[in-house]
Amino acid sequence: MGVRNLEYPKEATNTVKRYNAHAVYALETIHRIVNSSQILHVSFNTTSQPFPVTLPMIGQMGSFDRPSADLGDPLELYLHGYVSSRLMNTCQNSNSGDSNPGEPSRMPVCIAASHVDGLVLTLTSYSHNYNYRSTVLFGYATHVKDEEEKLYAMELITNSVVPDRWRHTRLPPTKAEIQSTGILKVRIASGSAKISAGQASDDKTDMANETMLDSTWTGVLPLYQTMGTPVPSSYNRMDVPGYISEFANDFNADNTELSLGAAKGERRAL
Amino acid sequence: MGVRNLEYPKEATNTVKRYNAHAVYALETIHRIVNSSQILHVSFNTTSQPFPVTLPMIGQMGSFDRPSADLGDPLELYLHGYVSSRLMNTCQNSNSGDSNPGEPSRMPVCIAASHVDGLVLTLTSYSHNYNYRSTVLFGYATHVKDEEEKLYAMELITNSVVPDRWRHTRLPPTKAEIQSTGILKVRIASGSAKISAGQASDDKTDMANETMLDSTWTGVLPLYQTMGTPVPSSYNRMDVPGYISEFANDFNADNTELSLGAAKGERRAL
């Protein structure tokens, strides 16, 4: 936990109404949930249809201006996508009215990340629930043009997939690779998270129902992501290196532990 | 696969532009990806802010009018949420202009579901990618008021969490439980899916780079959800019943198999 324990201010946009005892506004927790998600769901509007559009993307919180910033500091979200994709184009051509003349166009986006940590089975379907960690961020996306900042984001995102992977790949990326990699930077306007953890719980009336208690299993089915044994490519020549096997072992241990901890009521993010 | 192999028509809204060889429009595949997701990300607009709002929700494809419909048939999406939550209220009060006078108000929504099946590590960060299954549906949400249809949806959604759970819970739900359970029904306007599966692949130049080939591990790190050993509640009195342990075993076998199959290039949904 950072020394300052910064929080996103509670405003109309981000205030959690339902189960607000589960709400978290701490930057560190919110950023942690984003960074541990392999997929972020990025939503935005286009002028051509009434529906928001949601794309699954890879992203990571970071700070190009202050790369040493930690997770509890104000950060931007860097998103990776192919340069001609719908979101990149929409952002490029955005006329949302939020930009001043001469400034890069910026597009309002909503980013969601969710992890399910367990299925909580109770006596009545009504009180069934999940143990989960979820977060939603609101912000304005701009297209990153600066080559140095793009490289910063590419390294950040590659290392978020497998820690330390960047320096084990062919470097530097070619000009063509950099040019056709689209990077969006989202300046965060607000955000919130919800963490739910705990065991089954039923109300008094059902707890007095001996027949139900005798005939219904109640408890938590823990759920967690597992990384299996690495499958080498046909042209791979190496044993699995330490930075990959350690990552896989840590990933499995951390996820299992969090899921089992959640079943005991431990509310935390990875 | 259903005998008719229905597809959502390709229109401006849903046509996949990037990696369109991965695109799938078959109803059965799309519905399967939705139904195997514990969490759906539901996005909609409100009048009070420029950002779309995304909520994680539980949902399932179904047909109240024809409960025997199979996954390849046209289906509605039923979403579960607390009745006073933001989405339910927005839907209730929707003035999107899409409803005729006297008809229930309906709200444009986008629903996204994504599974990551593996991390694909190549020689250059640029060609790193994921094996994944993702889908996006567009449609119009209305609030379900009919009590019988609500009960249908509650059973559908409960059994989607754990098959056959509904009839093992206290039945019927009380009036108060039914009233305070909000159910949204989404009439699907269009949808598409993407499935990516395969091994690492690098371009000719990098494949001729002996130093890189000698020093970089390439391949797939399989990723799948695991259901751990059930953790009974303090008031549970039973051994884990067969319908739960079989579900957990099948869930683990199916997810592992799909992830390892994806690393071999097998493109399928669960």
Side-chain angles (χ1 to χ4, degrees):
Chain A
M1 195 63 97
V3 284
R4 293 175 298 175
N5 298 335
L6 293 180
E7 296 196 341
Y8 287 113
K10 285 196 221 182
E11 296 160 344
T13 304
N14 69 326
T15 298
V16 173
K17 309 260 171 39
R18 173 64 172 159
Y19 291 125
N20 53 13
H22 296 168
V24 179
Y25 298 93
L27 268 61
E28 179 172 351
T29 306
I30 292 171
H31 297 167
R32 213 176 267 288
I33 293 172
V34 170
N35 280 6
S36 61
S37 297
Q38 280 100 8
I39 291 259
L40 304 172
H41 285 96
V42 182
S43 300
F44 57 101
N45 282 301
T46 64
T47 50
S48 59
Q49 57 168 50
F51 317 104
V53 176
T54 305
L55 293 181
M57 296 183 81
I58 306 181
Q60 199 72 6
M61 306 299 308
S63 171
F64 176 63
D65 298 329
R66 197 158 77 83
S68 65
D70 68 32
L71 271 179
D73 287 323
L75 298 171
E76 271 90 52
L77 173 61
Y78 286 95
L79 293 167
H80 169 272
Y82 183 70
V83 74
S84 73
S85 77
R86 181 147 49 170
L87 175 56
M88 294 287 174
N89 282 338
T90 304
C91 184
Q92 196 87 292
N93 307 322
S94 179
N95 286 311
S96 67
D98 288 313
S99 310
N100 294 323
E103 279 185 7
S105 54
R106 56 184 209 162
M107 184 176 55
V109 293
C110 175
I111 298 101
S114 307
H115 302 269
V116 181
D117 299 318
L119 313 178
V120 184
L121 310 186
T122 60
L123 295 174
T124 165
S125 68
Y126 184 74
S127 49
H128 277 59
N129 59 80
Y130 284 172
N131 288 331
Y132 64 87
R133 293 159 283 151
S134 72
T135 186
V136 175
L137 289 171
F138 301 98
Y140 294 93
T142 53
H143 210 133
V144 175
K145 306 240 167 99
D146 179 73
E147 193 164 303
E148 228 180 300
E149 187 167 5
K150 266 179 115 165
L151 274 169
Y152 163 80
M154 287 165 74
E155 177 170 355
L156 181 75
I157 290 168
T158 303
N159 285 339
S160 82
V161 177
V162 176
D164 213 21
R165 180 67 182 173
W166 179 258
R167 69 183 182 92
H168 290 92
T169 60
R170 187 258 297 139
L171 293 176
T174 65
K175 284 274 173 200
E177 286 173 348
I178 298 172
Q179 268 165 24
S180 62
T181 300
I183 298 285
L184 285 183
K185 172 161 71 170
V186 182
R187 289 203 186 274
I188 308 303
S190 73
S192 62
K194 281 172 94 172
I195 300 182
S196 181
Q199 250 297 354
S201 167
D202 276 283
D203 73 14
K204 264 196 250 173
T205 321
D206 285 309
M207 289 294 280
N209 187 331
E210 293 290 326
T211 315
M212 281 308 298
L213 284 168
D214 283 339
S215 63
T216 299
W217 188 88
T218 53
V220 175
L221 306 183
L223 209 56
Y224 43 86
Q225 279 189 301
T226 299
M227 201 164 283
T229 309
V231 183
S233 75
S234 60
Y235 56 94
N236 174 65
R237 301 177 180 176
M238 300 179 68
D239 290 337
V240 178
Y243 73 97
I244 293 180
S245 55
E246 278 162 34
F247 164 59
N249 292 340
D250 289 350
F251 180 93
N252 290 338
D254 290 347
N255 279 283
T256 311
E257 198 188 328
L258 186 136
S259 172
L260 296 177
K264 292 178 196 153
E266 293 167 17
R267 292 174 74 233
R268 64 184 188 90
L270 267 188
Chain B
M1 195 63 97
V3 284
R4 293 175 298 174
N5 297 334
L6 293 179
E7 297 197 340
Y8 287 113
K10 286 195 221 182
E11 297 161 343
T13 304
N14 69 325
T15 298
V16 173
K17 309 263 173 35
R18 172 65 172 158
Y19 290 124
N20 50 15
H22 295 168
V24 179
Y25 299 94
L27 268 60
E28 178 171 351
T29 306
I30 292 171
H31 297 166
R32 213 175 267 289
I33 295 172
V34 170
N35 280 6
S36 60
S37 298
Q38 280 99 7
I39 289 260
L40 304 172
H41 286 97
V42 182
S43 299
F44 57 100
N45 283 301
T46 64
T47 51
S48 59
Q49 56 167 51
F51 316 105
V53 176
T54 305
L55 293 181
M57 295 182 83
I58 306 181
Q60 198 73 4
M61 307 299 308
S63 172
F64 176 64
D65 297 330
R66 196 157 79 82
S68 67
D70 69 33
L71 270 180
D73 288 323
L75 298 172
E76 271 90 52
L77 173 62
Y78 286 95
L79 294 168
H80 169 273
Y82 183 70
V83 73
S84 73
S85 77
R86 181 148 50 169
L87 175 56
M88 294 285 174
N89 281 339
T90 304
C91 185
Q92 196 87 293
N93 307 323
S94 179
N95 287 310
S96 67
D98 287 313
S99 310
N100 294 323
E103 279 185 6
S105 54
R106 54 186 212 162
M107 184 176 56
V109 294
C110 175
I111 298 102
S114 307
H115 302 269
V116 181
D117 299 318
L119 313 178
V120 185
L121 309 187
T122 61
L123 295 173
T124 165
S125 68
Y126 184 74
S127 47
H128 277 58
N129 59 81
Y130 284 171
N131 288 332
Y132 63 88
R133 292 159 284 150
S134 72
T135 187
V136 175
L137 289 172
F138 300 98
Y140 294 93
T142 52
H143 211 133
V144 176
K145 306 239 167 100
D146 179 72
E147 193 165 304
E148 228 181 298
E149 186 166 5
K150 265 180 117 167
L151 274 169
Y152 163 80
M154 287 165 75
E155 177 169 354
L156 181 75
I157 291 169
T158 303
N159 285 339
S160 82
V161 177
V162 175
D164 212 22
R165 181 67 182 173
W166 179 258
R167 68 182 182 92
H168 290 92
T169 59
R170 187 258 296 137
L171 292 176
T174 64
K175 285 273 173 200
E177 286 173 348
I178 298 171
Q179 269 166 23
S180 63
T181 300
I183 298 285
L184 285 183
K185 172 160 70 171
V186 182
R187 290 203 185 273
I188 307 303
S190 74
S192 62
K194 282 173 92 171
I195 300 183
S196 181
Q199 249 297 353
S201 167
D202 276 283
D203 75 12
K204 264 196 251 174
T205 322
D206 285 309
M207 290 294 280
N209 186 332
E210 294 290 326
T211 315
M212 280 309 298
L213 285 167
D214 284 339
S215 63
T216 299
W217 188 88
T218 52
V220 175
L221 307 184
L223 209 56
Y224 43 84
Q225 278 188 301
T226 299
M227 202 164 283
T229 308
V231 184
S233 75
S234 59
Y235 55 94
N236 175 66
R237 300 178 180 175
M238 299 180 69
D239 289 338
V240 177
Y243 73 97
I244 294 180
S245 55
E246 278 163 35
F247 165 58
N249 291 340
D250 289 350
F251 180 94
N252 291 337
D254 290 346
N255 278 284
T256 310
E257 198 189 328
L258 186 136
S259 172
L260 296 177
K264 292 178 195 151
E266 294 166 18
R267 293 175 72 231
R268 64 183 187 91
L270 265 187

